[in-house]
Amino acid sequence: MRLLNLIKIAFKAIVLNKMRTLLTMLGIIIGVASVIAMLAIGEGSKESIRTTISSMGSNMITIRPGADDRGPARGSGGNVQTLTLDDYKVIKEQSDLLSYSTPVVNSGGQVINGANNWPSTIYGVNPEYLNIKVVDLQSGSMFTDAEVKSASKVALIGQTVVDNVFPDGQDPVGQMIRFNNIPFKVIGVLEEKGENTFGQDQDDVVIAPFTTVQKRILAIDYLNQIMASAVSEDDAPEAVEKLTEILRTQHKLLDNEDDDFTVRSMEELISTFSSTSEMLTILLVAVASISLLIGGIGIMNIMYVSVKERTKEIGLRMAVGGKGSDILMQFLIEAILISITGGVLGVILGLSATMFIEKFLNWPTSVALYSIVISFAVCAITGIFFGWYPARKASALDPITALRYE
């Protein structure tokens, strides 16, 4: 028999048993749809994480005091005093892989405007901070280097602070506020950014010269951290190594001594979250793949039933000259057609489920082409793997015995 004739025979056999075929394909359909949807959710999560962290400054590097493993999610170096302004100056002079850098000191407290007050955090920085954090101004202007040197009592505030201490809609620029009873003149309002990956409100901030926060609020001469921005995202790992070398030399650390500081890049944070997301995706896909296994077993069972029902037909074909290989190919093609048809329906269902999840559940999704290719490949393999044994059993039947089968 020619291949085309075998395909026609297999197709007719499928059409004659529509309901049974559909039930057989159900496991494949659900399995493929689940795999595509789960991979889409996983890819969407990774892209969302990268986009969100990049909005915080994808080239950003943080240097914190103390050799700890707290990672870049923490916002303060606490009371550890291993970073100084001299460290910042040396970094500024010697590192050629940084485009911007700033000392950082911060403190919590109450922002007060008349009868209105709001608990917030003040960050003491220099004018390069906005470039590092990729933050624009909604109104007003950034303070200058001269105002940093003179420890001027000027500040920029985020939209959350504006909403809570200027509830009547008054323009904050030019107004006076107090932070822990220290008066500040508002010279700018930061553009609204919303929550970051950790659920922290990026608009609940007050920005002031670091010298002002050091002297007038904290009364310290050390830094809570140093923030910098690498020339490019690709240069960030090399910049981290360079900064480590500079600070080890600056702190006169011996080869056998551990760092008394921690340098982290945003790329490390992205990698950490992406790895977590990938592990979760793999777990979800593994669970979804169970449906494919069940679908494969269903194909094998239904092919066994088909072989039993068509034993006489098999005997007749072999009696008139059909070869065992033709019978093998006939049933194998039938199993593959069932599997691939289920795969097509599964892809349609998976894409529909992905659109539903994104539109109605507001979960980020991203359908990767490889997920569809893999699904089809798995379907073909499933059809061959689970259809081969029943097909081989059919091809091995004795023609005379098959013709006498009741």
Side-chain angles (χ1 to χ4, degrees), residues 48-64:
S48 177
I49 289 168
R50 180 171 286 274
T51 300
T52 304
I53 294 178
S54 293
S55 71
M56 298 162 58
S58 59
N59 303 344
M60 189 170 71
I61 297 171
T62 56
I63 306 167
R64 290 186 173 83

Side-chain angles (χ1 to χ4, degrees), residues 36 39-40 43 47 351 365-374:
I36 290 175
L39 283 173
E43 287 296 318
E47 288 183 12
L351 294 176
T365 60
S366 177
V367 178
L369 180 61
Y370 74 85
S371 66
I372 297 176
V373 173
I374 290 174

Side-chain angles (χ1 to χ4, degrees), residues 258-272:
D258 294 331
D259 297 338
D260 58 356
F261 56 86
T262 304
V263 185
R264 293 282 184 268
S265 69
M266 295 303 283
E267 188 60 36
E268 293 179 59
L269 183 60
I270 292 172
S271 297
T272 300

